Amino acid sequence: MATGNINVSVENIFPLIKKFLYSDHEIFLRELISNATDATLKLKHLTSIGEIDVEYGNPKIEVKVDKENKTLHIIDQGIGMTKEEVEKYINEVAFSGAEEFLEKYKDSAKDSGIIGHFGLGFYSAFMVANKVEIFTKSYKDEPAAHWTCEGSTEFTLETADKTDRGTEIILHINEEDNQFLEENRISELLVKYNKFMPVPIKFGTTQEELPLPEDAAEDAKAETVEVDNIINNPTPAWTKQPTELEDKDYKDFYRELYPMQFEDPLFHIHLNVDYPFNLTGILYFPKMGQDMNIQKDKIQLYQNQVYVTDNVEGIVPEFLTMLRGVIDSPDIPLNVSRSYLQADGAVKKISSYITRKVADKLKSLFTNNREEFEKKWNDIKIVIEYGMLSEDKFFEKADKFALYPTVDNKFYTFEELQESIKDNHTDKDGNMVILYASNQDAQHSYIQAAKDKGYEVLLLDSPIVSHLIQKLESSKEKISFVRVDSDHVDNLIKKDDDKISKLSEEEKEKLKTDFEKVVPKEKYSVQLEAMDSTAAPLIITQPEFMRRMKEMQQTGGGGMFGMGNMPEMYNLVVNTNHELISEILNSNSEEKQERLIKQSLDLARLSQNLLKGEELTAFIKRSFEMVK
């Protein structure tokens, strides 16, 4: 039997491991199963290239809980180790066997799926165990080895009587970590971290019914047998070529990823690139609607089928973090515990690739089946509009497939929109004015007035529309967006034909004074306009610039304008050519005049959903009295 000291450069590394190496103790199981997977894949690779003459067979990794003895066992049927290799790979901390293996077989092993890069993964066991044992038998014709360590720099290493190839690691679990002796807890961790590991993982057994023979009697009962409970899918959809998969396979995999999602995704994007970096994955567009909230089910990041995190910030552009799916890349640099991404040039290239791939897929969907794309627009627009705002390269590509729907449910690309409206929507200065509504019901009267003029009205109702139109105005020439309720219809697109007012300047001055006596100055700015006599007598509008800046601040941005805390201000547009306005002006009774102004103002406010509470109650009471 040999004894010795583990070769580390600090007096005792174990307290450091327990405190600082991993932020979350549960990671130990992922690391140990990753090592077992490496050992199995090494064997597979060496047998496949004829380096060693042993039968690979159908190896699996087994995880066992022994509650009585307070131990957790991880058993593999992989390449195993000799005593010398235990000395080298276990006792010399941070000397990674996987790294050396890849270096030796770098040309033939690059696709073998070896996970380990760090060498410290094994020592994560000491975060939850006060004693760790290794029983290991190499594929070589050499005796098995038994290594024991009790959380200090001292170890024992002796010959063991193990006869089957592979490694068994036994963790004697600490009292304070006895949660890891609960089968439910271990099952939960296996599903979380190892659901798609490339080697089958057994955790206990399950009962399975054997199929009855065709000639079985009607009352025959199916026989049940005990079979291995394999908790993982070693060949998930993203590891296959798109040509091997059908639409059903993608939907089934979505359910596998997110068992609590009951709606099918709208479509998927299969990622597969091997130069200048390796990356595979599948991204899904879920139904988004207007929801910009962070999804509970996020994109999952894997490294050679080992779950790393669902915080993919940096790798996936921010606007695509609203999607779901999987990304797997051995080229994403992680820190020693694989818990946090380290930003570098490779990550930026990966992010750019994903952006391009998503844009290409959207363009393809639009081109190949525009009708279907239009049907899905409301469920995907929030992602596309956010992408147009945040990524210039995506903005350029999206110009070909981003849609601008109208209140009549027609869909235009920007180029088509310009072509359709250029004649009627160009103002006296040669600028194209694009009219839009954000709420078809609330702004119905304004929409109707614009349509009566022959104008096209877009329906732009996403929460970031103010930001988006600002970006469009700055990137396109001689265009502006104006919401239909920001002014009366004749002022939305200024033409040369100004209407003539029936009232003299003196009458207009008096009318304005009469209104300002009754209308609250802190909320409304009175402006007189000559409009058609058939138009409404009073219209409430909110200036485009002021309203837009407030909206932008509410959804992040625009804060420099200091609009966030300003009270809501509206324009009260008085139609000087309307019969009711003449009646108000010429009223002999101040009481009647005030009543008419109040009633007219409240009707205008009602049309804008601005009349509420006590004021609404008073309006209804006053209206009933007028009816009487």
Side-chain angles (χ1 to χ4, degrees):
M1 181 175 89
T3 62
N5 285 323
I6 294 169
N7 180 19
V8 290
S9 57
V10 291
E11 180 55 36
N12 191 343
I13 197 170
F14 296 102
L16 296 176
I17 288 171
K18 288 184 179 185
K19 283 187 180 178
F20 304 118
L21 178 58
Y22 294 87
S23 56
D24 198 339
H25 282 198
E26 69 183 35
I27 298 293
F28 83 93
L29 191 60
R30 180 189 74 182
E31 292 300 316
L32 294 178
I33 290 179
S34 295
N35 289 347
T37 304
D38 284 347
T40 310
L41 294 179
K42 283 177 189 176
L43 183 74
K44 181 181 183 180
H45 181 69
L46 293 177
T47 54
S48 71
I49 64 172
E51 178 83 8
I52 60 176
D53 185 21
V54 297
E55 188 179 340
Y56 178 66
N58 296 299
K60 58 180 176 282
I61 295 163
E62 183 173 6
V63 179
K64 290 197 296 191
V65 173
D66 183 345
K67 208 165 181 180
E68 190 179 336
N69 292 308
K70 298 182 179 177
T71 55
L72 181 67
H73 302 242
I74 294 99
I75 306 159
D76 70 59
Q77 298 160 4
I79 200 166
M81 289 182 283
T82 63
K83 280 175 79 172
E84 289 72 24
E85 287 167 336
V86 172
E87 283 267 20
K88 182 176 182 180
Y89 296 126
I90 301 299
N91 296 340
E92 294 183 16
V93 177
F95 186 91
S96 173
E99 196 172 311
E100 185 195 48
F101 178 86
L102 281 175
E103 181 58 34
K104 183 175 178 183
Y105 298 100
K106 59 186 174 187
D107 294 327
S108 62
K110 63 183 178 184
D111 297 320
S112 61
I114 307 301
I115 298 159
H117 295 298
F118 310 109
L120 284 169
F122 167 74
Y123 282 90
S124 64
F126 287 97
M127 295 192 301
V128 299
N130 50 45
K131 177 181 174 182
V132 177
E133 296 181 80
I134 302 173
F135 289 89
T136 182
K137 173 85 169 70
S138 171
Y139 70 92
K140 298 171 187 173
D141 187 19
E142 292 195 30
H146 176 207
W147 179 92
T148 309
C149 180
E150 296 190 13
S152 73
T153 53
E154 293 179 0
F155 68 89
T156 63
L157 179 60
E158 57 189 334
T159 303
D161 57 6
K162 180 177 167 66
T163 55
D164 51 326
R165 185 192 65 233
T167 300
E168 177 174 6
I169 294 174
I170 304 173
L171 278 65
H172 296 260
I173 300 297
N174 297 324
E175 195 67 44
E176 62 269 26
D177 290 300
N178 59 14
Q179 59 170 304
F180 300 115
L181 292 172
E182 298 296 333
E183 292 201 353
N184 285 347
R185 179 73 170 121
I186 296 300
S187 179
E188 174 194 318
L189 294 181
L190 290 173
V191 169
K192 178 177 178 179
Y193 291 109
N194 307 107
K195 191 175 182 178
F196 301 112
M197 294 290 276
V199 178
I201 299 167
K202 173 187 175 183
F203 186 55
T205 58
T206 186
Q207 298 291 320
E208 192 175 279
E209 282 191 357
L210 292 176
L212 288 168
E214 288 181 15
D215 58 350
E218 280 187 28
D219 58 349
K221 288 186 178 177
E223 186 184 344
T224 59
V225 292
E226 205 168 74
V227 295
D228 291 347
N229 178 35
I230 302 298
I231 59 91
N232 62 321
N233 172 5
T235 54
W238 84 81
T239 63
K240 300 173 184 177
Q241 291 298 316
T243 50
E244 300 175 57
L245 301 166
E246 296 178 0
D247 193 51
K248 182 182 181 301
D249 298 314
Y250 286 107
K251 286 178 179 173
D252 288 347
F253 180 58
Y254 183 75
R255 296 263 177 275
E256 202 175 344
L257 277 176
Y258 309 111
M260 301 310 291
Q261 285 296 333
F262 303 112
E263 270 191 314
D264 283 338
L266 294 167
F267 52 85
H268 63 267
I269 298 166
H270 198 130
L271 307 169
N272 195 339
V273 64
D274 54 18
Y275 182 82
F277 47 80
N278 281 289
L279 181 139
T280 53
I282 300 170
L283 296 180
Y284 292 94
F285 267 75
K287 283 190 176 182
M288 292 292 302
Q290 304 287 66
D291 187 11
M292 282 191 71
N293 295 328
I294 297 298
Q295 298 291 327
K296 183 172 79 68
D297 293 317
K298 301 179 188 176
I299 295 170
Q300 300 172 12
L301 174 66
Y302 287 74
Q303 194 175 67
N304 289 326
Q305 294 174 240
V306 184
Y307 175 80
V308 176
T309 182
D310 62 5
N311 177 12
V312 292
E313 191 179 332
I315 298 172
V316 175
E318 190 179 358
F319 77 98
L320 293 177
T321 56
M322 291 182 276
L323 304 188
R324 298 189 178 121
V326 164
I327 289 171
D328 189 330
S329 174
D331 293 333
I332 294 169
L334 307 173
N335 69 1
V336 72
S337 64
R338 309 185 199 199
S339 298
Y340 301 100
L341 297 168
Q342 296 172 332
D344 74 346
V347 170
K348 287 174 186 164
K349 284 179 189 168
I350 287 170
S351 178
S352 296
Y353 164 77
I354 292 170
T355 300
R356 189 176 75 249
K357 191 77 176 176
V358 169
D360 291 346
K361 174 73 173 186
L362 290 166
K363 176 67 169 65
S364 162
L365 289 166
F366 172 76
T367 305
N368 295 335
N369 193 339
R370 177 163 178 169
E371 189 180 343
E372 273 302 304
F373 191 80
E374 288 179 359
K375 284 179 187 172
K376 291 171 179 171
W377 178 252
N378 278 333
D379 286 311
I380 62 174
K381 67 184 177 188
I382 196 78
V383 176
I384 295 171
E385 290 173 354
Y386 190 14
M388 291 169 71
L389 271 175
S390 56
E391 299 273 335
D392 286 339
K393 285 184 179 174
F394 186 80
F395 181 86
E396 290 166 23
K397 286 180 173 284
D399 218 27
K400 304 292 183 197
F401 57 76
L403 293 177
Y404 300 86
T406 71
V407 291
D408 298 319
N409 213 30
K410 287 189 287 186
F411 290 85
Y412 294 105
T413 63
F414 197 84
E415 191 177 325
E416 291 166 350
L417 179 67
Q418 282 182 299
E419 188 59 32
S420 174
I421 68 172
K422 64 183 179 185
D423 295 333
N424 201 21
H425 282 244
T426 302
D427 68 12
K428 62 183 182 181
D429 300 317
N431 297 308
M432 183 182 291
V433 179
I434 299 168
L435 302 181
Y436 73 99
S438 60
N439 185 317
Q440 200 157 354
D441 290 332
Q443 294 152 12
H444 181 268
S445 62
Y446 300 93
I447 293 167
Q448 196 56 51
K451 285 172 70 175
D452 290 345
K453 284 270 189 183
Y455 294 146
E456 193 77 88
V457 181
L458 300 183
L459 180 61
L460 303 179
D461 57 0
S462 77
I464 54 172
V465 71
S466 301
H467 298 273
L468 179 63
I469 61 180
Q470 199 84 355
K471 171 105 176 179
L472 288 162
E473 286 170 343
S474 64
S475 62
K476 311 277 185 187
E477 288 186 11
K478 300 197 83 172
I479 69 143
S480 64
F481 283 79
V482 175
R483 206 167 84 177
V484 285
D485 59 346
S486 63
D487 210 331
H488 77 78
V489 69
D490 293 330
N491 280 350
L492 293 175
I493 303 174
K494 274 286 194 183
K495 307 285 186 177
D496 288 324
D497 52 344
D498 285 342
K499 291 254 181 322
I500 298 168
S501 175
K502 290 180 182 176
L503 306 183
S504 66
E505 289 304 316
E506 273 182 56
E507 287 174 316
K508 283 198 271 187
E509 199 63 45
K510 180 180 183 306
L511 183 67
K512 189 168 186 183
T513 304
D514 291 340
F515 265 85
E516 286 177 344
K517 283 179 192 172
V518 180
V519 174
K521 289 192 178 73
E522 67 278 5
K523 284 186 181 177
Y524 299 97
S525 172
V526 177
Q527 67 181 58
L528 308 184
E529 295 278 354
M531 295 184 271
D532 288 338
S533 58
T534 54
L538 297 182
I539 299 174
I540 294 172
T541 64
Q542 192 171 23
E544 176 74 19
F545 174 79
M546 297 281 285
R547 192 208 69 254
R548 198 190 294 184
M549 289 306 111
K550 283 182 73 70
E551 287 173 352
M552 286 173 70
Q553 191 186 53
Q554 285 161 9
T555 53
M560 71 184 80
F561 298 100
M563 305 284 170
N565 299 320
M566 282 183 64
E568 292 281 359
M569 282 294 293
Y570 298 92
N571 289 335
L572 179 65
V573 183
V574 180
N575 180 2
T576 59
N577 289 339
H578 196 279
E579 191 179 343
L580 176 61
I581 301 304
S582 296
E583 188 180 339
I584 289 170
L585 177 67
N586 299 319
S587 175
N588 294 323
S589 161
E590 197 171 312
E591 185 185 335
K592 180 186 174 185
Q593 186 184 61
E594 184 179 331
R595 189 177 75 250
L596 288 173
I597 292 174
K598 274 187 176 178
Q599 190 72 3
S600 305
L601 173 61
D602 284 350
L603 282 166
R605 292 169 75 194
L606 195 62
S607 73
Q608 277 280 58
N609 201 28
L610 293 172
L611 195 61
K612 295 172 184 175
E614 190 179 334
E615 292 176 321
L616 178 59
T617 305
F619 166 76
I620 293 168
K621 185 180 179 184
R622 188 188 329 124
S623 299
F624 279 131
E625 285 171 0
M626 290 173 77
V627 170
K628 282 193 297 185

